[in-house]
Each structure stands twice: as structure tokens, then as C-alpha cells.
Amino acid sequence: MRCRTTLIAALLLLPTACATGPSLENQGEVTAPPGDSRHLTVGSAGFTESDLLAQMYALLLNQAGYQTSLLTVANRELYEPALESGQIDVVPEYAATFADWLNAKANGADAPPVGSPDLDATMTALRRLATPRGLSVLDPGRAVDQNAFAVSASYARRHDLRTLSDLGASGLRVRLAAGDECVQRPYCAPGLVKTYGIDIIAVDPKGVGTTQAKRAVQSGQDQMVLTTTTDATLDEFGLVLLADDKHLQNADYVVPVVNRAHAGGPGPTKALDRLNDVLTTADLASMNQQVDSWRRLATDVARTYLEDKGLLK
């Protein structure tokens, strides 16, 4: 890592007259050719997975002949404008979440969501929203970090559960450990009831994928926990994921988003696309575990992974 700053420094990242995105009166038009700056700033959102992705992006860009620096900005409200202005050039994002965020920014907080379980539709909406802001969204790979639901392995064996549909068909009464917003969110309790017919009798507000929530399921106090598909700690608590076989969750595939004027050319795209055929959801979970549980440095984990996959010499 050549350069890493904190959120305090990131507060200085305010849009200025040198912003590289289209002006308000020209939004919707793309007039400048995609750029190919030789020094690129790679942004991270400050959590383990984002740090790992940013490190891999930087290493791949370095190998392709770019000089990179890394900047941590743990707040999308800050790093997205910095991406538009060119103070950050590349950032890892999640397709559906970022599409909905840009949609709310453009059309208001009450705008109907554009992210969906359909990856193609989500990417089309995301690119339509990103382009007027001077941003290019590169192709997604295979890795996806979605909301997911886990039960204890013993509970799954006892009731022959492999999917959320199995749980719905079982008629079991389920107390769900999750964030308190789960009561209203369509992907959470309401969606589990409507899409899968699961009998959610209560939401236990212990947070998303927290240790406390997982222990509640491990002990049998709760029957299921809301976590993510890249949660690498499930084995430690004797938990297993139930497959989202009816695709309730949105298509939150990992996608690089770049400032078009600085990093929209074929060079950065070719360098970052090399990750697409390799990186899987399971790979991300494994790397998260190495950082969070084994206390390895994200930069070391990222480098080792790319070397092992033959992407780094």
C-alpha cells in the first residue's frame, strides 16, 4: 500500500471546479473520450471486503503499468462525489446497492428501486444512472455479496433443510435474528413470508451477521440469522446458509466503478477484467476470514490470492 488516508482526510474531498464529470446542463451526454491517466487513486469503503478488493485492483493496475495510491473513505456520501470529481478514480461497488443509491440521489429517496435480482436489468439501470455523472461501470464478475440466511447445521439436518423453500414448506415457526429494519425491508421478513411462506414469528434485533446474532441461533434461542453470502465465520458457530432458490435477494455482484475521464480507457478495463473469471463468492469469504479471523493484512491476502491464481507475477 503506497498511500492510505483516513476518513478525516476524506472530509476534504469536496467537489471543485476541476470536477471531471459532465456539468449539470450537459448531464446525459458524454462528450469527452474515456481517459487513461497513469496515476490512479483506488478507493475503499473501509470494511474488510472493500479493502481486499481495492488492494487487488491496485495490484492488477500496478502490473499493467499504472501507479496507484489507495484512499479509504468509509462513507458512500463522500466517496461517490469524489469519484465523480476524479479525486478517486476506481472503487469496488455492488451492482444493485449502488444502482439504488444513485437512483435515490437522482430521483429522490422515495424513487422506486431499480436494483433487482435480475443482474442484466440491474446493470442496465446502473449504467444509465452512472453515465451522466462521468462514471463508467465495468463488467461484473462471479462474486456476489448478497444478504443471506443461515440456520444451525443440526437444525438443517433434523428438518432436511437446504433451501429457503424447504424451510417455508416445513411449517416451522422461525424467530429471526437480524437488524430491526428487517421487519419492514422487502428482502427480509416480509419477503421471507411472501416469497417463501416462512412463518416468521418474531425478529430478534441483534444486527446483521453479528456474533450475538449467530450465538442466538447456535444456542437455539433463534432459528435463523440474517448475514451475507461472503460471511466466513459461519463454520465457527456451526451454521449453514439456506439457498435463496427463488432469488429474493438483489443482484449485488461486485463491480468496479471508474471515473471515465481518468480510468475509462481500455487499459484499466483490461487490467481489472482479469479478476472476473477467477474471483468467486467463496474466494471472497475465504479472504475475509483470513483478515478478520486470522488477523492477516489485507494487502498480503490480496497479493497471495492473485499470485495463486496466476494473475500476478
Side-chain angles (χ1 to χ4, degrees):
M1 184 187 299
R2 289 193 177 89
C3 175
R4 185 181 180 97
T5 66
T6 65
L7 179 59
I8 294 175
L11 291 171
L12 300 176
L13 293 171
L14 299 175
T16 67
C18 65
T20 57
S23 62
L24 290 175
E25 62 269 22
N26 293 324
Q27 282 202 2
E29 301 178 16
V30 178
T31 55
D36 193 21
S37 174
R38 305 315 293 176
H39 181 278
L40 298 173
T41 299
V42 181
S44 165
F47 57 93
T48 297
E49 187 168 291
S50 187
D51 287 345
L52 284 163
L53 289 164
Q55 292 283 355
M56 287 190 284
Y57 289 1
L59 289 165
L60 290 169
L61 289 166
N62 288 343
Q63 181 165 262
Y66 296 88
Q67 182 182 1
T68 62
S69 54
L70 281 92
L71 180 67
T72 298
V73 187
N75 186 313
R76 190 177 276 115
E77 283 76 8
L78 289 172
Y79 74 66
E80 190 278 330
L83 186 62
E84 288 188 32
S85 71
Q87 293 165 302
I88 293 175
D89 303 305
V90 184
V91 72
E93 262 294 355
Y94 300 92
T97 295
F98 196 47
D100 283 337
W101 194 87
L102 289 180
N103 186 44
K105 185 174 180 178
N107 300 309
D110 295 329
V114 295
S116 75
D118 185 325
L119 177 59
D120 290 341
T122 296
M123 288 297 297
T124 297
L126 174 55
R127 285 172 166 151
R128 184 177 65 248
L129 289 159
T131 297
R133 297 184 176 278
L135 307 179
S136 292
V137 182
L138 306 189
D139 289 340
R142 300 159 61 194
V144 56
D145 188 350
Q146 295 170 303
N147 293 301
F149 297 91
V151 298
S152 72
S154 60
Y155 184 83
R157 285 193 301 269
R158 187 162 64 251
H159 299 289
D160 195 23
L161 305 177
R162 295 177 180 81
T163 69
L164 290 170
S165 287
D166 292 339
L167 182 56
S170 73
L172 293 165
R173 289 160 59 86
V174 175
R175 183 176 163 93
L176 174 62
D180 53 10
E181 71 279 3
C182 178
V183 174
Q184 297 179 330
R185 294 286 175 87
Y187 67 80
C188 203
L192 292 173
V193 173
K194 181 179 179 180
T195 302
Y196 289 106
I198 297 172
D199 185 8
I200 304 293
I201 60 171
V203 172
D204 186 6
K206 286 185 165 59
V208 179
T210 63
T211 296
Q212 183 185 23
K214 291 172 191 170
R215 284 179 176 160
V217 175
Q218 183 183 38
S219 69
Q221 176 186 344
D222 297 333
Q223 286 71 52
M224 189 162 65
V225 60
L226 170 62
T227 182
T228 66
T229 52
T230 59
D231 187 335
T233 67
L234 296 178
D235 284 347
E236 298 174 22
F237 296 91
L239 305 181
V240 294
L241 292 179
L242 295 181
D244 179 23
D245 54 308
K246 293 185 179 179
H247 307 293
L248 172 63
Q249 302 305 320
N250 283 344
D252 261 330
Y253 283 75
V254 174
V255 290
V257 181
V258 304
N259 176 283
R260 186 175 186 273
H262 289 180
T269 298
K270 183 178 179 181
L272 297 176
D273 276 354
R274 297 183 67 206
L275 203 54
N276 285 356
D277 292 333
V278 175
L279 184 66
T280 67
T281 304
D283 291 341
L284 269 181
S286 174
M287 286 189 281
N288 285 338
Q289 182 181 40
Q290 292 176 58
V291 174
D292 291 336
S293 298
W294 304 355
R295 303 305 180 192
R296 293 188 62 195
L297 295 176
T299 184
D300 294 337
V301 173
R303 179 178 293 278
T304 299
Y305 176 80
L306 294 178
E307 290 173 346
D308 288 347
K309 296 297 182 179
L311 299 182
L312 208 62
K313 299 176 182 177

